[in-house]
Amino acid sequence: QVQLVESGGGSVQAGGSLRLSCAASRYTYRYFCMGWFRQAPGKAREGVATISIGSGSTYYADSVKGRFTISQDNAKKTLHLQMNDLKPEDTAIYYCAAEPTDICFLSRPPSAWTYWGQGTQVTVSS
């Protein structure tokens, strides 16, 4: 059973930065995708960024391109999301997700991801 534990959320003013982390444990799959999703109040969960752990390929939502960067630390089995130039519309609960597959497109819906973290709140004030 893969376990994911997020950290790094918080409150920041618009234009500020935050770095989210997701520690993964108990996975031994050859192909593995990890990603960040977010869910704002009253809205559906949406994909923010995904990464193929094997190839390093990354995919981003248009709304965060150029501002967010997803990265992996293989040695520590940790996923990061560096968020710069944050906007009030980035306010949401951010979730880390993982799936044993080599198909890591952002279009993969939340229902197609098996493993989830508990979520971490990000609040951006104007």
Side-chain angles (χ1 to χ4, degrees), residues 17-50:
S17 298
L18 284 173
R19 188 187 194 216
L20 305 182
S21 297
C22 173
S25 61
R26 301 184 183 178
Y27 77 85
T28 58
Y29 303 103
R30 179 179 180 183
Y31 300 107
F32 210 66
C33 291
M34 296 190 74
W36 289 97
F37 291 74
R38 65 187 181 187
Q39 188 165 17
K43 294 187 176 181
R45 191 169 298 188
E46 63 175 1
V48 175
T50 59

Side-chain angles (χ1 to χ4, degrees), residues 85-103:
D85 190 23
L86 282 160
K87 303 177 180 181
E89 51 264 42
D90 295 318
T91 295
I93 298 175
Y94 283 70
Y95 297 91
C96 174
E99 179 67 22
T101 178
D102 58 351
I103 302 173

Side-chain angles (χ1 to χ4, degrees), residues 1 17 25 29 36 40 43 45 65 71-72 76-77 79 84-85 92 104 118:
Q1 180 80 9
S17 298
S25 61
Y29 303 103
W36 289 97
K43 294 187 176 181
R45 191 169 298 188
K65 280 181 181 177
S71 63
Q72 57 177 314
K76 297 181 180 180
K77 292 188 177 179
L79 182 73
N84 298 327
D85 190 23
C104 301
Q118 80 284 358

Side-chain angles (χ1 to χ4, degrees), residues 61-121:
D62 288 342
S63 59
V64 306
K65 280 181 181 177
R67 300 189 298 122
F68 291 12
T69 302
I70 189 171
S71 63
Q72 57 177 314
D73 182 336
N74 286 339
K76 297 181 180 180
K77 292 188 177 179
T78 302
L79 182 73
H80 300 290
L81 184 69
Q82 178 65 42
M83 304 185 293
N84 298 327
D85 190 23
L86 282 160
K87 303 177 180 181
E89 51 264 42
D90 295 318
T91 295
I93 298 175
Y94 283 70
Y95 297 91
C96 174
E99 179 67 22
T101 178
D102 58 351
I103 302 173
C104 301
F105 299 143
L106 193 63
S107 57
R108 189 179 189 88
S111 59
W113 294 74
T114 301
Y115 303 104
W116 292 88
Q118 80 284 358
T120 185
Q121 177 70 47

